[in-house]
């Protein structure tokens, strides 16, 4: 084994809850293992000199932590692997479909970009989808993906606020049409008008909802206020409790900025005291909103941008003894791998917006990313008469080969971060900003999952 060395794609993470132990993560095999400090120091220096047995060396080699490839050979291997995985994503992974029921909303949240957008060029245009476009939506899905086994049978309803009281007949029509074709639904909703939808929630129709709660009552009501009736916290909590009791999946999202970061611990305590965690179908995650993406209007960007950093948010959150998760996609990847004794899921794309996400809006436009809806430059196609692609925009989202990126292919995190969020990356020029503290985020998440699962 001449030339045996530590792989450039080996990532050691010190485990704060297990002194002297490190989680080894490998960037292109997806392997996860726990080793002692002495083993790490030895493989960093010279794997063949020391007390490691031949079986231990063979295992480290098989898992990828040790390699006989030189630096250039490893980079070439990763580049080839990226291209293979990119083709896999496009050809074999399921396509996801989202329907924007309406751009209208009954809330007046400070960080929502859609109210600003809809007050501009779409000010005098109907903002709710027609039944004709609903029919076109369902007819277009099999054109985009003829193989039903490569279509996700869960359709997401989005807005605006998709579950407005005034839209009950329209949403029932959507759900009925979907049910005939074998689809079920989820909805991203503010949760205010849920009682109107009781007959559609659960029962293999709208199986689950995501609802945003931004803190305990006073803070939440200052941020997520009804445009007519003001405070919304108490009604939303009543609705959550009721529909959990009916077996509906409820996931709560907490949007975090400098104004409510200290609400995390309080809200966690509130959920415990009110026994929401007793429901198996209840979950909570926190999301950092930095004010620099399309989800935030210009007024919010000016006041909030970079007031707190992603790093500060994560450092703050990890101090709490809470079941609230964060970095949902990364957390789920580590959680599933460790719990099921599998390798990490690897991908050259940050999310399916780069290869298989289709979002249909009420104006007949198709987008790939929720961060991009409503912006003309990101329309990848239209469906108001027949399916027509905008090749330039579609290629911009779907056909960018990550394996050809010189900076990224040398990075040990490439298949774990997927080069980050494209919607955000195109807004920044510096590599450090594009990486968005991913190495730090990965370490915090890895430690959190390890702690939550109490080891391997």
């Amino acid at each position: 084994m001449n030339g045996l060395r530590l792989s450039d794609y080996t990532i050691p993470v010190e485990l704060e809850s297990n002194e002297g132990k490190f989680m080894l993560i490998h960037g292109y095999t997806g392997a996860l293992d726990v080793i002692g400090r002495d083993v790490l120091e030895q493989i960093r220096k010279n794997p063949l000199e020391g007390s490691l047995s031949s079986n231990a060396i063979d295992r480290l080699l098989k898992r990828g932590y040790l390699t006989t490839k030189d630096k250039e050979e490893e980079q070439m291997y990763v580049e080839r692997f990226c291209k293979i995985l990119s083709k896999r994503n496009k050809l074999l992974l399921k396509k996801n479909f989202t329907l924007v029921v309406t751009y209208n909303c009954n809330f007046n949240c400070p960080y929502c970009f859609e109210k600003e957008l809809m007050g501009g060029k779409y000010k005098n245009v109907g903002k709710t989808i027609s039944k004709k476009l609903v029919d076109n939506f369902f007819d277009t899905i099999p054109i985009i993906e003829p193989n039903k086994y490569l279509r996700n049978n869960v359709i997401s309803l989005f807005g605006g606020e998709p579950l407005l009281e005034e839209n009950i007949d329209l949403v029932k029509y959507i759900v009925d049409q979907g049910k005939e074709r074998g689809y079920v639904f989820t909805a991203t909703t503010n949760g205010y008008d849920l009682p109107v939808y009781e007959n559609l929630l659960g029962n293999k129709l709208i199986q689950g909802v995501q609802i945003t709660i931004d803190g305990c009552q006073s803070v939440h009501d200052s941020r997520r206020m009804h445009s007519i009736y003001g405070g919304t916290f108490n009604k939303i909590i009543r609705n959550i409790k009721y529909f959990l009791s009916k077996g509906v999946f409820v996931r709560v999202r907490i949007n975090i900025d400098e104004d409510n970061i200290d609400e995390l611990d309080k809200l966690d305590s509130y959920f415990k005291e009110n026994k929401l965690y007793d429901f198996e179908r209840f979950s909570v995650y926190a999301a950092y909103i930095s004010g620099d993406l399309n989800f935030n209007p210009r007024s919010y960007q000016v006041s909030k941008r970079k007031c707190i950093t992603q790093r500060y948010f994560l450092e703050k959150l990890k101090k709490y003894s809470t079941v609230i998760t964060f970095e949902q996609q990364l957390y789920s990847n580590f959680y599933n791998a460790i719990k099921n004794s599998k390798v990490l899921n690897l991908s050259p794309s940050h999310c399916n917006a780069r290869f298989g996400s289709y979002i249909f809006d009420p104006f007949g436009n198709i987008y790939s990313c929720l961060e991009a809806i409503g912006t003309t430059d990101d329309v990848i196609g239209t469906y108001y008469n027949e399916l027509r692609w905008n090749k330039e925009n579609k290629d911009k989202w779907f056909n960018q080969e990550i394996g050809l990126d010189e900076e990224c292919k040398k990075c040990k995190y490439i298949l774990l971060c997927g080069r980050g969020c494209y919607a955000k990356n195109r807004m920044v020029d510096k590599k450090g900003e594009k990486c968005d503290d991913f190495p730090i985020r990965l370490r915090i998440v890895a430690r959190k999952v390890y702690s939550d699962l109490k080891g391997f």
Side-chain angles (χ1 to χ4, degrees), residues 198-215:
E198 181 169 1
N199 292 335
L200 296 181
L201 287 164
N203 300 320
K204 298 184 179 180
L205 299 173
I206 302 176
Q207 294 186 323
V209 292
Q210 176 175 293
I211 299 172
T212 299
I213 296 179
D214 276 357

Side-chain angles (χ1 to χ4, degrees), residues 338-353:
I338 293 174
K339 184 177 181 180
N340 299 312
S341 301
K342 303 288 187 181
V343 297
L344 290 166
N345 180 46
L346 303 175
S347 177
S349 300
H350 175 70
C351 69
N352 63 7

